[in-house]
Each structure stands twice: as C-alpha cells, then as structure tokens.
Amino acid sequence: MQNIRYAYMNHWKNIPYKSIANFRDFYYQDKSNTAYYSDWDNLLKYQKALGFDGIEVAPWDLADILPLFGSADAFRQFAQERGVAITGMFHGAHASHDKAKFDEVLQAGKQAVDTIAGFGGTQMNTCPTDNYCGIGPLSREEVAQCAKVMNEIGRYATDHGIKLGLHNEFFCGINLSDHREFIELTDPRFVHYCIDTAQISIMGEDLLDFYDTYAERISGFHLKDTADINQPDSIRFSRDPEIQDDGKRWFWELGQGVLDFPALYELLKKHQYKGWITLETDGSPDYLASMAMCRYYIDKELNPIYR
C-alpha cells in the first residue's frame, strides 16, 4: 500500500459545464482546444489518468462550482464517480492579527470548515493573515493574536474531522523573522502545517531543515518548484509580489527550478510520512502539460525513493 496519495490544487477557472454531451459538435464550433477545457468531466478524467486521485479547491471556486452542481456534496459525488476525492480547501484567515476582528475571522474560519465538510474533505490549508504590504511588520502581540485565532479555528476543525494546516505565502504578514515563532505559539493538537515547497523557500526557509524540524506537525504539502529561493525583504514586503508586470514566474514544474526534491523525499522516508501531497501548477500557461511533466518527474525521480 502506498504511503503517499497525490492530489491537484485546482487552478482550472471558469469551467462552464459539468460535461459536454456531444463533444464532436462542440469541437466544430471553433475547431480549437476549447472543447478540451470546458467541462469538469474531462478535467477530472485528465487528473485521474495522470495519477492525481484528489483535488483541493479554493474559496473563489465556490461561485462557479456550487451554481453548476447545486451543492458541495453533488460535486463530491461527481468527482468520486471519476475516481477523484475532494481533499479539502484553501482558506485565507484575513485580518487574524487584528484583535478587534477576532469574532469575524473565527466565524469565517468555521464557515470554511463547514464547507470543507460538505465536500467530504479532511484538510483546510490556511494562510494565517494578509499580505505583509499593508500590515507589516507585525508586533509580537499581533503574531500572538494570529496564533490565538488559528488555535480556535483549529479546535473547531478538529471537532469536525478536519485538519487545519498553516500555509504560509512568501509575501504574508507572518514572514521569515516570525514564521517559526508563530508556529510555536499554536497548539499542535489543533494546528498543523501544510508545506508549500516553493513559497517557504522563496520566503527564506530552508525546505529540508524546516520539514525535518516540523515533520510531526505536517498535515500535507503543496508541491511546486522555484528558481528564486531566499528573496530579500524588498521583494517579499512589496505590493502584490506574486503578480509581476513582466510576466515573471515564481513557480515551476518539478525539476525545472532549484529545489532538492529527492532530498525531501529521503526525509519523507525517514519520517514515514503518510497522507496527501498536492501538486500545484499556478503560473503555468498550460496546466495539463505541467501536470504531465510533474507526473513524469514524480514517477522517475521520486517514487523510487519513497511512495
């Protein structure tokens, strides 16, 4: 039995159909590849064919998915019929550093947990607060306030069968100087960690040391490569750094950046990690091609180490 199950972080946007009843007629409308990327039926089948048995959704997907399917459970059943499980959902705990907004942030977190439960998911991967630009640097009291909110949302999540995994962005208000302090302030019974391999490396964490240190708290991974590790404050603290006017990509397919994934998988083997690992292809101009490239890398380079 495999220790790792692979999922895909949903980056398909504005999918108008559940399935296309007459694929040939649809194709002849414009004789392009539009027909191949317009329905959930085919997109989920692509995933399954490439060995990604789960899908993680994002809150901004709900406006498209729920009207189309009618409910989270209906989407879960639709995906399940194609061999794909809903693993969970990404969540942003906006303003969690602000004591005055405690109740508001906690309620939003609970609603996200309820949504994930409706999808049949088990993971809520949560960015701890807003972008550094606009709120940073945070005081020690504000960092502690973020931790307090995470503990309460995590307690509610645990009670509902969901694991809250902290998911830090390289431009988040919780940043390199207080990242580990923040983690230590959270309760390990209720608050876990989802490692985004590229995000924490761009932020300046040593990926291998970070996983080795916090292995017991890791609830999942967002797997992607980067060529831009350890970025300076001027980048991480700037406005909307993930979106660059010149089209710069922060994130790459596995093996196309500089991260040492074979060494990471040696550590997964050392710590006997068991659970989901979610591939992310954000920034790619062709999600399906990126998914296939990454699957080849996983099968050729990583599975021989640990699977």
Side-chain angles (χ1 to χ4, degrees), residues 81-97:
E81 289 166 1
R82 287 143 186 85
V84 178
I86 314 301
T87 61
M89 186 175 77
F90 184 79
H91 172 67
H94 302 296
S96 67
H97 63 285

Side-chain angles (χ1 to χ4, degrees), residues 98-245:
D98 187 344
K99 187 179 295 186
K101 296 189 176 182
F102 175 81
D103 290 338
E104 176 185 334
V105 179
L106 178 57
Q107 184 58 32
K110 289 181 176 180
Q111 289 174 351
V113 169
D114 293 342
T115 298
I116 294 167
F119 277 114
T122 58
Q123 298 180 326
M124 183 167 85
N125 298 319
T126 300
C127 185
T129 189
D130 305 281
N131 292 9
Y132 189 98
C133 182
I135 68 167
L138 298 182
S139 67
R140 294 181 68 85
E141 291 75 17
E142 288 173 319
V143 172
Q145 181 64 24
C146 289
K148 179 181 178 181
V149 176
M150 292 302 104
N151 286 337
E152 290 306 310
I153 298 175
R155 186 189 304 272
Y156 182 85
T158 301
D159 289 344
H160 289 76
I162 309 295
K163 280 191 172 183
L164 186 156
L166 299 172
H167 177 291
N168 228 76
E169 316 282 357
F170 75 87
F171 47 86
C172 184
I174 299 290
N175 219 279
L176 185 61
S177 64
D178 47 29
H179 185 216
R180 297 197 184 199
E181 175 189 1
F182 166 66
I183 296 170
E184 298 298 334
L185 288 171
T186 59
D187 190 329
R189 295 175 299 170
F190 309 125
V191 180
H192 310 276
Y193 200 100
C194 172
I195 295 180
D196 185 306
T197 54
Q199 293 278 9
I200 69 165
S201 299
I202 296 170
M203 185 172 68
E205 286 280 10
D206 181 302
L207 172 61
L208 302 180
D209 177 74
F210 185 82
Y211 175 62
D212 208 23
T213 300
Y214 290 103
E216 296 303 314
R217 294 193 65 173
I218 302 308
S219 57
F221 289 82
H222 281 183
L223 201 66
K224 57 194 180 197
D225 212 337
T226 184
D228 296 282
I229 62 173
N230 197 23
Q231 289 297 292
D233 294 356
S234 59
I235 296 294
R236 292 181 290 110
F237 301 164
S238 62
R239 184 176 298 278
D240 298 325
E242 199 172 89
I243 303 169
Q244 298 290 312
D245 292 338

Side-chain angles (χ1 to χ4, degrees), residues 46-67:
Y46 300 158
Q47 268 196 232
K48 182 64 178 178
L50 289 170
F52 295 97
D53 297 328
I55 185 169
E56 181 179 336
V57 297
W60 47 86
D61 296 325
L62 301 182
D64 294 326
I65 290 174
L66 295 182

